[in-house]
């Protein structure tokens, strides 16, 4: 059997992608990066992908000459590069339904808050942490979840709590959460690669993957 292959979609700086690259290099994450795709030609994620020798593509409606062509390119790349798992790492666009159908129950995302709090419409990037601070939350965290057509509502695979120190700014909260994202995302992806998390057949979004072995092996506590 060949190596487990992940495609990574990212729009921004790509620190989560870099954290995965680092764990692949250290031998802790037994996967290959099939390719990295960004809707943003200036994305740091594309640079980071190229720097490690991974295939990197800018794909957007603009670059391809229409939304339909961009979707066709995405599914073609997933086929051509034989991606086993689609990892969203700060991808700011909705994943087209054709891509979700092609990768059914094999798309994961990381969200920088404890869903369902601070998720959905309007809660992306810095806005999430602004919301947490404005509301006076004493705890926030991260959520790694399966992606279905209703973006932030897929089955939750892992959540971790991050305490909010009194008086923190949104930037400070964001930095604390991001550090934990880097510590945890690779572990969930490793669990897919090793079979500790198993995608399930079927269309029930609440039963997209069997995560019981993975959770049983985690240290207890948040
Ligand atoms: C992360 O906070 C992630 O949770 C969210 O987008 C951000 C991406 O950051 N979905 P980076 O590009 O990986 O640095």
């Amino acid at each position: 059997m060949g190596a487990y292959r992940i495609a990574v979609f990212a729009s921004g700086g790509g620190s989560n992608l870099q954290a995965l690259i680092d764990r692949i290099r250290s031998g802790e994450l037994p996967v290959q990066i099939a390719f990295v795709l960004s809707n943003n030609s200036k994305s740091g994620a594309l640079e980071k992908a190229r720097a490690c020798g991974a295939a990197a593509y800018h794909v957007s409606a603009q670059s391809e000459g229409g939304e339909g062509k961009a979707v066709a390119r995405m599914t073609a790349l997933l086929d051509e590069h034989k991606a086993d798992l689609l990892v969203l790492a700060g991808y700011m666009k909705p994943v087209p339904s054709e891509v979700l159908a092609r990768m059914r129950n094999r798309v994961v995302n990381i969200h920088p808050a404890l869903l369902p709090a601070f998720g959905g419409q309007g809660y992306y990037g810095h806005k999430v942490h602004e919301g947490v601070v404005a509301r006076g939350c004493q705890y926030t965290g991260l959520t790694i979840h399966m992606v279905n057509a209703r973006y932030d509502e897929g089955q939750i695979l892992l959540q971790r709590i991050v305490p909010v120190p009194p008086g923190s700014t949104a930037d400070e909260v964001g930095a604390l959460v991001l550090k934990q994202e880097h510590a945890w995302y690779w572990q969930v992806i490793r669990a897919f690669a090793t079979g500790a998390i198993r995608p399930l057949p079927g269309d029930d979004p609440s039963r997209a993957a069997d995560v019981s072995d993975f959770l049983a092996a985690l240290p207890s506590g948040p």
Side-chain angles (χ1 to χ4, degrees), residues 16 20 86-89 108-110 142 144-145 158 180-190:
N16 273 287
L20 300 181
L86 172 52
V87 175
L88 306 181
V108 291
N109 184 42
I110 187 161
L142 64 92
I144 299 170
H145 63 96
L158 180 78
Q180 291 304 308
E181 294 182 42
H182 299 162
W184 286 101
Y185 208 9
W186 71 275
Q187 301 196 48
V188 169
I189 294 161
R190 182 181 60 180

Side-chain angles (χ1 to χ4, degrees), residues 66-79:
E67 199 66 58
K69 286 184 179 156
V71 173
R73 184 89 201 284
M74 286 179 197
T75 52
L77 286 170
L78 289 162
D79 283 340

Side-chain angles (χ1 to χ4, degrees), residues 12-17 89-92 109-112 125 129 178 181-182:
S15 72
N16 273 287
L17 169 65
Y91 187 62
M92 303 297 246
N109 184 42
I110 187 161
H111 185 79
H129 308 301
L178 198 58
E181 294 182 42
H182 299 162

Side-chain angles (χ1 to χ4, degrees), residues 32-209:
Q32 257 175 22
I33 296 184
F35 68 97
V36 173
L37 179 148
S38 184
N39 59 306
N40 169 10
S41 63
K42 298 192 171 61
S43 154
L46 288 179
E47 278 172 33
K48 290 177 167 81
R50 290 188 185 113
C52 81
Y57 303 97
H58 168 223
V59 177
S60 67
Q62 236 181 354
S63 72
E64 305 306 304
E67 199 66 58
K69 286 184 179 156
V71 173
R73 184 89 201 284
M74 286 179 197
T75 52
L77 286 170
L78 289 162
D79 283 340
E80 182 188 317
H81 288 280
K82 300 189 173 40
D84 295 305
L85 185 72
L86 172 52
V87 175
L88 306 181
Y91 187 62
M92 303 297 246
K93 302 269 292 178
V95 179
S97 55
E98 290 87 343
V99 171
L100 291 175
R102 163 71 182 73
M103 299 297 292
R104 190 170 55 150
N105 295 347
R106 286 178 298 135
V107 183
V108 291
N109 184 42
I110 187 161
H111 185 79
L114 294 170
L115 291 174
F118 304 106
Q121 198 76 38
Y123 282 124
Y124 56 88
H126 201 253
K127 298 225 183 301
V128 174
H129 308 301
E130 286 169 22
V132 164
V133 167
R135 191 66 191 275
C137 294
Q138 295 169 13
Y139 296 94
T140 183
L142 64 92
T143 303
I144 299 170
H145 63 96
M146 304 294 288
V147 175
N148 60 35
R150 297 163 71 99
Y151 211 81
D152 284 341
E153 296 178 25
Q155 182 188 342
I156 288 171
L157 303 172
L158 180 78
Q159 290 188 305
R160 294 283 108 174
I161 292 169
V162 175
V164 178
S168 301
T169 63
D171 280 346
E172 287 162 352
V173 173
L176 291 172
V177 172
L178 198 58
K179 194 162 172 226
Q180 291 304 308
E181 294 182 42
H182 299 162
W184 286 101
Y185 208 9
W186 71 275
Q187 301 196 48
V188 169
I189 294 161
R190 182 181 60 180
F192 275 95
T194 60
I197 296 178
R198 284 180 299 282
L200 295 169
D203 288 321
D204 178 356
S206 61
R207 293 275 307 147

